[in-house]
Amino acid sequence: MAMLNVLLWFLPERLALPTVSATVAGSLPRVASLKAAQQPKPEFEREYVCLTIGWFRSPSVVNALGRATDLEYQVKSKVASLQPLHWVLVPPQPEPDARALAEDLRSRGADVYVVTRGQYKNAVSLGMFESLEAAKKLVSEKKSENLHVTLAKFPRNRIGYALAFKVESLRETEVLQAVEAGFEGDFDFIERNACEGVATSEKNP
């Protein structure tokens, strides 16, 4: 009976030891590795890309899209030259004569105005056209009415706006999707470049 009691005393302890040991040996490495995976990289170890997305017609649109990403961003602008318009007009003349002619043409249903500045000041504008053929057609019509008209070029430019971000490379797709979600249409371009000491501006309100 004494031997049996000794066995009953030590046996559970010896049987339990492998179980505890296996649990400790099996759990601790997994928990440690999980915690290590969850730790964010230090700032100096993170990889960044500089994204530029454009062009947009209005700075208000750009700022709204930038705010939707909840990131710091910059607004970049660019002036693009467009094809000039074909301008049909009566050549410059003394201001009283130009105004009298414009009044006469308006009374006959024409949509005209007197140019008030620039190279063609005091000319009477009869219309601007992207199509050269349409402009020439109006010239022919006015000449048949014994009106002295000429063709001129009307230069024009367009200002476009782009969004620029400095983002972690892992968030690149997320940022693009956020901008795309708030914009109806296609982007003219998306540029992805390495960031070379580029700091984003203060976050716009």
Side-chain angles (χ1 to χ4, degrees), residues 45-132:
E45 291 184 7
R46 298 179 191 175
E47 295 181 359
Y48 287 89
V49 294
C50 284
L51 295 176
T52 307
I53 308 168
W55 294 102
F56 305 98
R57 297 192 176 188
S58 165
S60 61
V61 171
V62 179
N63 280 299
L65 293 173
R67 286 193 295 268
T69 66
D70 198 30
L71 291 171
E72 293 181 350
Y73 63 91
Q74 288 180 330
V75 177
K76 297 184 176 181
S77 61
K78 176 183 178 182
V79 178
S81 296
L82 302 178
Q83 288 293 325
L85 296 175
H86 303 285
W87 196 4
V88 181
L89 44 75
V90 177
Q93 54 191 299
E95 183 178 354
D97 296 340
R99 295 195 177 279
L101 176 60
E103 288 295 330
D104 179 55
L105 292 173
R106 288 194 199 102
S107 68
R108 290 186 270 166
D111 184 13
V112 303
Y113 67 89
V114 176
V115 181
T116 58
R117 59 185 177 179
Q119 178 183 357
Y120 297 103
K121 182 177 180 180
N122 293 329
V124 178
S125 173
L126 303 178
M128 296 181 185
F129 303 87
E130 291 186 350
S131 166
L132 178 58

Side-chain angles (χ1 to χ4, degrees), residues 43 45-53 71-74 76 163-176 190-200:
E43 180 73 20
E45 291 184 7
R46 298 179 191 175
E47 295 181 359
Y48 287 89
V49 294
C50 284
L51 295 176
T52 307
I53 308 168
L71 291 171
E72 293 181 350
Y73 63 91
Q74 288 180 330
K76 297 184 176 181
L163 266 175
F165 298 96
K166 178 184 175 183
V167 298
E168 289 185 62
S169 57
L170 294 177
R171 297 192 63 189
E172 180 180 350
T173 300
E174 174 190 338
V175 172
L176 289 174
I190 300 174
E191 289 182 358
R192 182 184 185 277
N193 300 300
C195 295
E196 299 177 356
V198 177
T200 53

Side-chain angles (χ1 to χ4, degrees), residues 9 78 139-140 147 150 182 196 205:
W9 179 264
K78 176 183 178 182
V139 169
S140 297
L147 192 63
T150 187
E196 299 177 356

Side-chain angles (χ1 to χ4, degrees), residues 122-191:
N122 293 329
V124 178
S125 173
L126 303 178
M128 296 181 185
F129 303 87
E130 291 186 350
S131 166
L132 178 58
E133 293 303 315
K136 286 182 175 179
K137 182 178 179 181
L138 181 60
V139 169
S140 297
E141 290 177 1
K142 295 306 177 183
K143 285 185 175 180
S144 68
E145 299 173 5
N146 294 319
L147 192 63
H148 178 46
V149 295
T150 187
L151 268 177
K153 298 288 187 181
F154 184 81
R156 56 181 179 150
N157 295 319
R158 182 180 68 183
I159 301 178
Y161 301 90
L163 266 175
F165 298 96
K166 178 184 175 183
V167 298
E168 289 185 62
S169 57
L170 294 177
R171 297 192 63 189
E172 180 180 350
T173 300
E174 174 190 338
V175 172
L176 289 174
Q177 288 177 343
V179 176
E180 187 176 23
F183 181 69
E184 295 183 1
D186 298 324
F187 305 134
D188 291 336
F189 71 91
I190 300 174
E191 289 182 358

